[in-house]
């Protein structure tokens, strides 16, 4: 029994949380932009790799400074800080615009570029100041700490990227048939993946090299690895925040209105492009977080997101495409079924489903749903 | 001569793509079905034919039948798989078909990798027979190419006739306005299923011919994204709905795909080398990433064509009424 909980149920919940975070985005995008977003898995990959690149950047400066044998040019340091300064420049631009210093319509790109380069200098100096700390032999950063520290930056960049993708590749098709957007998103998925492969190569990476997690023993006899706790906690907080956004804010109300009837929403004066923007913020943000969380638990590799696509769609369809709450349940169910199916039920020694075919479970569930209840458990929209 | 060998190899490689693109055109160009599982059907055909025709294998079963039998069987199995998926998904919104076809392609990859007794798993299946092998030298390649070209030509003529026939007209009607087609008394679901099954069968045949050309089959040969993606780019660049355009798209994109790596290597590697002062090891690492630059460029090309030239190179042409056979 304990084996079931420790080695099957907890991993099942972890996987379920990650699926749920991805499936929410798929469901929201489907209900508001009316298309199946095939690049969603690759948005997860992008999120995971942005976080990976940022960690690499910080480590490059801190540890290279600490080690006298290694010299890193100032230019390389500057480049490795660019992702951070880009985030700061984006946020500063948004802040100034809110304060009435805008509109930056024409100047925004220039402002962002100049700001990014300018802000990279103080960041490098700030990290140089940390050098004495890293020179200490015992100094070692906790892997979880590193990931959680860069996570907010990675999310901002991933959202920024998703909005850029929307502007470049999806917006031109807003008024054409939705299936054209699906084709475009299929192309975007490959573009994103090839970008990752170009910049990071195809090898498996990890946020912490040679890092072996010891389970926490506070809940004995339950054993939970620390990072799993973070994954649960993060997912719960995000879902509560999503619930608050959808039910208690004007933006959420507008999103729900647009998902019910886009034309009617527009007629009542809702700024539909702004709703679209918020959909991307939520969808891409959750996808990026899901990617980073997955990267904490599994290797970071270019196909990690694509491999998630099928289970995520299965989860969204199970919950009903277009229903974010359904997507959460769907994600947990699919994750649970995939992991628990490899347990040796019925007291035999063989697993119920051989591990290699785990992924097929999601597909099986999806096919059954499509045959018997295509609208999903929680009534999404079909046809 | 080297150039001759290269040219022959290039043309032989375009034959399977040509057949598959015609199938995809029946799916998408005629009927508007978004099939993203091309690689799945391709793999079904490839493995069916390989298992049936291969001589004795070390790791899997084999039957040693002649290649022709394998090719016919590959169409049949691909059609059966397509029928099952189509039956489930074609009554739903088009997005669902896309999701389901991606799903089947991924599942098939899983089965191929893990069911070693049947597919050879990671070993693949080797020593497949290739028609006209006994000729030897360039003659064998030429003869094989001739067979391929004859198949493509016959299919082209048949599919052009389908396009002009009442059947083709119904397909276009369904694509343009499903409700109107249904109101005219057409069984939309049944017609869609026909188009889906026929198109997918051709993809199966394409897979079979491809593996007989290379005489072996393995998991990497049916890498889902590249096959599927390339075919879509070929069709959309060439002009969906236009068979001639689709075939021109195949040759163009395959040529681009083949020369791009050398082109990128020649153009960018020296530039990067001089800019970053790379060591030999780093140069090797950079050059290993060139295929991804190529994938990126082709991806961008697809987006540009989709947005700026949605008709493709050769636009779709409705057949003139006078030329249509009497119905």
């Amino acid at each position: 029994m304990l084996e079931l909980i420790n080695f099957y149920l907890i991993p099942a919940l972890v996987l379920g949380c990650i699926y749920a975070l991805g499936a929410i985005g798929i469901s929201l995008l489907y209900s508001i932009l009316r298309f199946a977003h095939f690049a969603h898995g690759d948005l997860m990959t992008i999120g995971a790799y942005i976080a990976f690149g940022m960690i690499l950047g910080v480590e490059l400066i801190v540890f290279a400074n600490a080690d006298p044998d290694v010299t890193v040019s100032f230019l390389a340091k500057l480049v490795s800080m660019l992702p951070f300064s880009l985030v700061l420049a984006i946020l500063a631009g948004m802040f100034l615009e809110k304060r009435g210093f805008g509109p930056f319509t024409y100047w925004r790109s220039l402002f962002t570029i100049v700001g990014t380069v300018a802000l990279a200098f103080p960041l490098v100096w700030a990290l140089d100041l940390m050098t004495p700390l890293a020179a200490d032999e015992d100094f070692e950063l906790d892997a979880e700490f590193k990931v959680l520290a860069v996570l907010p930056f990675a999310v901002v960049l991933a959202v920024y990227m998703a909005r850029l993708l929307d502007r470049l590749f999806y917006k031109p098709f807003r008024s054409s048939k939705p299936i054209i957007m699906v084709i475009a998103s299929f192309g975007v998925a490959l573009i994103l993946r090839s970008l990752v492969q170009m910049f990071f190569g195809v090898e498996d990476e990890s946020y912490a090299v040679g890092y072996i997690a010891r389970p926490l023993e506070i809940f004995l006899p339950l054993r939970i690895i620390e990072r799993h706790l973070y994954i649960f906690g993060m997912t719960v907080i995000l879902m509560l925040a999503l619930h608050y956004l959808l039910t208690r804010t004007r933006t959420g109300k507008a999103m729900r209105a647009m998902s019910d009837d886009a034309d009617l929403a527009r007629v009542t004066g809702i700024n539909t492009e702004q709703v679209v923007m918020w959909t991307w913020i939520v969808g891409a943000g959750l996808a990026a977080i899901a990617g980073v969380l997955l990267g904490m638990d599994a290797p970071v590799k270019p196909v990690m997101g694509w491999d998630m696509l099928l289970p995520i769609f299965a989860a969204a369809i199970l919950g009903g495409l277009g229903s974010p709450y359904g997507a959460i349940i769907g994600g947990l169910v699919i994750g649970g079924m995939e992991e628990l199916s490899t347990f040796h039920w019925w007291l035999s020694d063989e697993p119920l489903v051989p591990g290699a075919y785990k992924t097929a479970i999601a597909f099986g569930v999806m096919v059954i749903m499509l045959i018997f209840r295509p609208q999903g458990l929680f009534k999404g929209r079909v046809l | 001569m080297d150039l001759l060998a290269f040219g022959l190899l290039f043309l032989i490689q375009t034959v399977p793509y040509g057949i598959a693109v015609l199938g995809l055109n029946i799916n998408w160009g005629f009927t508007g079905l978004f099939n993203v599982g091309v690689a799945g059907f391709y793999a079904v055909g490839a493995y069916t034919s390989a298992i049936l025709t291969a001589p004795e294998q070390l790791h899997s079963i084999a039957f040693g039948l002649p290649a022709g039998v394998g090719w016919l069987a590959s169409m049949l199995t691909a059609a059966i798989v397509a029928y099952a998926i189509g039956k489930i998904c074609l009554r739903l919104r088009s997005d669902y078909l896309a999701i389901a076809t991606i799903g089947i392609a991924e599942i098939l990859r899983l089965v191929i990798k893990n069911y070693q007794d049947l597919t050879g798993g990671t070993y693949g299946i080797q020593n497949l027979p290739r028609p006209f092998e006994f000729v030897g030298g360039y003659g064998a390649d030429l003869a094989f190419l001739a067979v391929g070209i004859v198949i493509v030509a016959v299919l082209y003529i048949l599919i052009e006739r389908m396009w002009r026939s009442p059947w083709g007209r119904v397909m276009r009607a369904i694509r343009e306005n499903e409700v109107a087609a249904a109101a005219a008394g057409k069984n939309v679901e049944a017609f869609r299923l026909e188009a889906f099954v026929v198109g997918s069968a051709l993809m199966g045949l394409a897979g079979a011919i491809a593996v007989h050309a290379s005489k072996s089959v393995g998991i990497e040969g049916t890498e889902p994204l590249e096959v599927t993606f390339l075919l879509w780019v070929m069709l959309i660049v060439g002009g969906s709905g236009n068979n001639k355009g689709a075939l021109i798209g195949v040759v163009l994109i395959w040529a681009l795909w083949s020369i791009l790596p050398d082109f990128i290597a020649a153009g960018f590697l020296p530039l990067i080398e001089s800019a970053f002062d790379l060591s030999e090891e780093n140069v090797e690492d950079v050059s290993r990433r060139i295929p991804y630059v190529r994938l990126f460029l082709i991806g961008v090309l697809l987006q540009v064509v989709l947005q700026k030239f949605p008709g493709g190179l050769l636009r779709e042409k409705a057949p003139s009424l006078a030329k249509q056979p009497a119905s």
Side-chain angles (χ1 to χ4, degrees):
Chain A
M1 187 61 199
L2 266 177
E3 189 206 350
L4 175 66
I5 295 179
N6 282 338
F7 297 113
Y8 292 89
L9 200 62
I10 290 175
L13 268 173
V14 169
L15 195 63
C17 286
I18 292 167
Y19 286 167
L21 290 176
I24 292 170
I26 294 260
S27 228
L28 276 179
L29 284 167
Y30 189 84
S31 69
I32 288 170
L33 286 169
R34 311 269 138 126
F35 80 111
H37 186 225
F38 272 62
H40 212 70
D42 291 271
L43 275 184
M44 290 168 74
T45 316
I46 288 284
Y49 269 95
I50 290 176
F52 178 71
M54 287 177 143
I55 292 176
L56 272 190
V58 174
E59 284 185 341
L60 176 80
I61 297 183
V62 174
F63 289 101
N65 282 352
D67 190 345
D69 298 337
V70 183
T71 47
V72 176
S73 69
F74 186 74
L75 187 68
K77 287 182 185 175
L78 210 57
V79 169
S80 66
M81 279 299 107
L82 283 183
F84 291 97
S85 57
L86 175 58
V87 172
L88 295 179
I90 292 168
L91 293 180
M94 276 162 60
F95 179 75
L96 288 178
E97 215 169 46
K98 266 255 154 65
R99 288 289 149 135
F101 284 94
F104 281 141
T105 13
Y106 298 106
W107 292 100
R108 185 187 254 160
S109 331
L110 187 65
F111 178 86
T112 315
I113 293 167
V114 172
T116 306
V117 177
L119 286 168
F121 288 90
L123 283 174
V124 173
W125 289 322
L127 276 179
D128 279 344
L129 288 180
M130 280 180 64
T131 309
L133 203 67
D136 185 359
E137 287 274 308
D138 301 328
F139 179 77
E140 205 177 321
L141 274 178
D142 196 28
E144 277 89 2
F145 173 77
K146 282 190 290 190
V147 176
L148 294 180
V150 296
L151 181 63
F153 294 95
V155 169
V156 173
L157 275 193
V159 167
Y160 193 69
M161 182 140 186
R163 290 198 51 208
L164 196 71
L165 291 174
D166 179 57
R167 181 83 151 275
L168 289 175
F169 300 128
Y170 302 137
K171 203 176 173 189
F173 301 118
R174 286 263 206 283
S175 52
S176 37
K177 277 190 192 166
I179 198 71
I180 305 288
M181 288 225 265
V182 182
I183 298 182
S185 77
F186 181 55
V188 168
L190 275 145
I191 288 179
L192 291 181
R193 186 205 279 198
S194 62
L195 276 176
V196 166
Q197 287 165 329
M198 262 156 67
F199 286 108
F200 293 95
V202 287
E203 255 93 278
D204 288 11
E205 309 279 2
S206 164
Y207 289 139
V209 182
Y211 172 72
I212 300 161
R214 265 188 311 278
L216 296 177
E217 311 222 317
I218 19 175
F219 303 107
L220 275 174
L222 278 187
R223 289 165 190 278
I224 296 189
I225 304 173
E226 200 184 338
R227 56 172 186 255
H228 288 170
L229 274 185
Y230 290 126
I231 295 176
F232 294 141
M234 185 89 76
T235 312
V236 171
I237 294 171
L238 287 171
M239 282 167 187
L240 290 177
L242 176 76
H243 177 69
Y244 180 82
L245 174 81
L246 286 179
T247 54
R248 303 278 192 280
T249 62
R250 270 190 91 81
T251 312
K253 212 173 179 181
M255 281 167 82
R256 283 185 293 139
M258 196 168 158
S259 112
D260 273 346
D261 191 325
D263 292 330
L264 208 56
R266 195 176 294 113
V267 172
T268 42
I270 290 172
N271 183 346
T272 48
E273 273 306 310
Q274 202 171 0
V275 174
V276 169
M277 179 186 93
W278 273 99
T279 311
W280 280 110
I281 291 177
V282 175
L286 291 181
I289 294 174
V292 174
L293 295 182
L294 180 67
M296 278 170 91
D297 206 38
V300 177
K301 53 185 177 183
V303 289
M304 61 190 282
W306 180 263
D307 290 343
M308 292 278 117
L309 195 65
L310 187 56
I312 287 176
F313 264 113
I317 288 175
L318 180 66
L321 264 179
S323 146
Y325 299 107
I328 297 173
I329 307 283
L332 290 172
V333 171
I334 297 281
M337 286 176 79
E338 280 192 7
E339 287 293 331
L340 296 179
S341 66
T342 53
F343 186 64
H344 42 86
W345 298 96
W346 296 308
L347 303 172
S348 96
D349 288 339
E350 294 287 305
L352 182 60
V353 174
Y357 291 105
K358 208 159 70 169
T359 327
I361 301 271
F363 183 68
V365 172
M366 191 173 86
V367 168
I368 292 170
M369 288 308 287
L370 289 181
I371 295 174
F372 294 107
R373 205 177 153 83
Q375 71 273 36
L377 294 177
F378 294 90
K379 246 202 156 169
R381 64 177 65 247
V382 203
L383 300 166
Chain B
M1 196 185 139
D2 219 7
L3 199 65
L4 179 67
F6 177 78
L8 272 177
L9 182 68
F10 175 84
L11 286 175
I12 287 178
Q13 280 168 334
T14 55
V15 166
Y17 282 112
I19 296 172
V21 92
L22 289 175
L24 192 62
N25 198 21
I26 297 180
N27 277 180
W28 170 251
F30 286 21
T31 326
L33 304 173
F34 186 51
N35 180 353
V36 215
V38 181
F41 299 111
Y42 193 87
V44 167
Y47 274 93
T48 306
S49 185
I51 292 164
L52 286 180
T53 61
E56 209 161 307
Q57 297 285 311
L58 217 56
H59 304 285
S60 56
I61 52 164
F63 294 96
L65 298 171
V69 179
W71 293 5
L72 287 177
S74 67
M75 287 172 77
L76 194 67
T77 41
I80 292 169
V81 174
Y83 180 82
I85 297 179
K87 202 72 189 153
I88 295 168
C89 296
L90 284 174
R91 66 207 161 97
L92 301 169
R93 226 186 88 145
S94 42
D95 310 46
Y96 286 84
L97 181 71
I99 300 165
T101 46
I102 274 211
I104 198 76
E106 293 288 312
I107 297 305
L108 282 169
R109 195 161 58 115
L110 216 60
V111 172
I112 288 168
K113 206 159 114 192
N114 293 302
Y115 197 12
Q116 210 193 64
D117 294 343
L118 191 66
T119 63
T122 42
Y123 298 104
I125 300 175
Q126 317 298 333
N127 299 326
L128 298 181
R130 182 172 166 177
F132 298 106
E133 234 170 340
F134 54 87
V135 183
Y138 290 138
D141 285 349
L142 264 177
F144 188 81
L145 180 62
V147 173
I149 287 177
V150 167
I151 293 177
V152 173
V154 168
L155 285 173
Y156 172 78
I157 292 166
L158 281 177
I159 293 168
E160 273 292 297
R161 277 194 72 84
M162 279 159 81
W163 174 250
R164 283 199 214 97
S165 73
W167 187 85
R169 222 178 314 150
V170 177
M171 291 302 163
R172 289 195 294 282
I174 290 174
R175 186 190 65 192
E176 294 306 327
N177 194 334
E178 201 183 312
V179 181
K186 305 298 176 194
N187 185 345
V188 172
E189 225 183 292
F191 272 103
R192 271 189 177 157
L193 193 57
E194 280 170 20
F196 189 60
V197 168
V198 172
S200 305
L202 291 187
M203 291 165 202
L205 177 64
I209 290 181
V211 296
H212 283 276
S214 60
K215 289 181 59 77
S216 72
V217 58
I219 17 178
E220 66 288 342
T222 48
E223 165 61 33
L225 280 186
E226 286 190 1
V227 176
T228 307
F229 181 62
L230 265 184
L231 270 169
W232 270 98
V233 177
M234 286 164 175
L235 181 62
I236 285 176
V237 169
S240 47
N242 188 320
N243 291 317
K244 211 179 290 167
L247 290 176
I248 292 173
V250 168
V251 178
L252 269 183
I253 297 297
W254 188 247
L256 200 61
W257 186 256
S258 312
I259 61 162
L260 259 183
D262 295 331
F263 192 72
I264 297 166
F268 290 86
L269 262 187
L271 214 77
I272 294 173
E273 255 173 274
S274 58
F276 293 99
D277 190 24
L278 297 176
S279 68
E280 208 156 291
E281 204 176 308
N282 286 338
V283 170
E284 211 173 279
D285 190 40
V286 170
S287 55
R288 225 178 296 136
R289 293 180 188 184
I290 286 178
Y292 309 115
V293 182
R294 162 176 77 175
L295 191 60
F296 175 78
L297 291 176
I298 298 277
V300 172
L301 173 72
L302 173 72
Q303 302 290 353
V304 170
V305 172
L306 266 184
Q307 285 182 24
K308 304 292 175 205
F309 314 96
L313 274 178
L314 293 186
R315 282 175 174 286
E316 176 186 338
K317 261 199 317 251
S320 68
L321 284 171
K323 265 199 200 156
Q324 276 176 12
S327 49

